[in-house]
Amino acid sequence: MHAPKQKGNVKKKLGYIGRYIKRPAIALKRIQSYDGEYVAFSYHDKTSGEEKTEKVTVEEFIARVIHHIPDENFKTIRYYGIYSRRLKKVSKTLLTSWQKEVKKWIVRAERRLNRRNWRERIQRATGKDPLVCPKCECYLEYKGEVCLEEGKLTIK
């Protein structure tokens, strides 16, 4: 028996919050008069079901309106739209699969960018440049491979 009462209570609270998300705490047409000291406004009395008018000081009126302004960083809607659990789960799986695909692209790009020629591989392995003579430290120009063909050295 308690569940239906709570469900109705939750609906009322959601309705209350929903009203202030869509529009301000008080509509301009409900403010009937303002004389510099007092503000007269109409409201619907939920206990009697009647439309009533109230006159309060400006300070009191502003305090009542400010009471309805949510705090900074206050989430007025938590589990609706992009915040809903269903969409959060779907977006998380999509994002995870997208990240995996992007990671593959990045790894492929890094492999292509990090390809080294024979000189760079030797330098990395030995710490010495193969095109610098170890005796005189002059720069050597690579012309190709020297092969012995028919008793003569030839460059290929």
Side-chain angles (χ1 to χ4, degrees), residues 22 26 44 46 56 71-72 92 97 100 109:
K22 290 185 206 173
I26 186 165
H44 182 77
K46 294 179 183 174
V56 294
D71 295 333
E72 188 178 355
K92 197 172 189 176
S97 63
K100 286 179 184 176

Side-chain angles (χ1 to χ4, degrees), residues 123-148:
Q123 274 182 319
R124 187 170 182 145
T126 63
K128 296 178 184 176
D129 190 351
L131 295 180
V132 174
C133 178
K135 292 183 181 176
C136 66
E137 295 185 4
C138 291
Y139 181 75
L140 304 172
E141 187 176 340
Y142 179 74
K143 296 281 187 175
E145 296 175 18
V146 178
C147 298
L148 185 63

Side-chain angles (χ1 to χ4, degrees), residues 60-151:
E60 176 67 21
F61 179 77
I62 292 172
R64 287 185 186 185
V65 171
I66 288 174
H67 177 73
H68 291 284
I69 298 172
D71 295 333
E72 188 178 355
N73 300 325
F74 177 77
K75 282 187 185 178
T76 52
I77 301 175
R78 291 193 180 144
Y79 303 113
Y80 181 76
I82 60 169
Y83 293 112
S84 70
R85 291 182 185 193
R86 184 182 65 81
L87 284 180
K88 194 180 268 188
K89 186 176 181 181
V90 169
S91 63
K92 197 172 189 176
T93 56
L94 286 172
L95 185 63
T96 304
S97 63
W98 180 78
Q99 284 175 333
K100 286 179 184 176
E101 195 63 33
V102 168
K103 191 174 184 179
K104 289 178 189 176
W105 296 340
I106 291 170
V107 167
R108 284 185 205 137
E110 281 180 349
R111 282 183 190 156
R112 287 186 180 157
L113 292 172
N114 291 337
R115 284 186 182 160
R116 295 183 184 92
N117 60 21
W118 66 273
R119 179 182 179 196
E120 291 169 341
R121 288 194 305 268
I122 291 173
Q123 274 182 319
R124 187 170 182 145
T126 63
K128 296 178 184 176
D129 190 351
L131 295 180
V132 174
C133 178
K135 292 183 181 176
C136 66
E137 295 185 4
C138 291
Y139 181 75
L140 304 172
E141 187 176 340
Y142 179 74
K143 296 281 187 175
E145 296 175 18
V146 178
C147 298
L148 185 63
E149 288 183 359
E150 299 174 14

Side-chain angles (χ1 to χ4, degrees), residues 12-24:
K12 284 181 184 177
K13 288 178 183 176
L14 287 174
Y16 175 80
I17 292 169
R19 282 194 301 274
Y20 296 108
I21 290 169
K22 290 185 206 173
R23 55 185 180 255

Side-chain angles (χ1 to χ4, degrees), residues 1-66:
M1 280 179 39
H2 293 285
K5 188 176 182 181
Q6 286 179 342
K7 194 172 189 180
N9 195 12
V10 170
K11 281 186 177 181
K12 284 181 184 177
K13 288 178 183 176
L14 287 174
Y16 175 80
I17 292 169
R19 282 194 301 274
Y20 296 108
I21 290 169
K22 290 185 206 173
R23 55 185 180 255
I26 186 165
L28 288 175
K29 68 180 182 180
R30 288 180 43 203
I31 300 173
Q32 294 176 344
S33 67
Y34 167 68
D35 62 4
E37 290 184 44
Y38 294 96
V39 177
F41 62 94
S42 63
Y43 67 96
H44 182 77
D45 188 3
K46 294 179 183 174
T47 55
S48 64
E50 298 173 354
E51 195 72 24
K52 293 185 177 181
T53 303
E54 187 173 351
K55 188 173 184 179
V56 294
T57 64
V58 173
E59 292 84 10
E60 176 67 21
F61 179 77
I62 292 172
R64 287 185 186 185
V65 171
I66 288 174

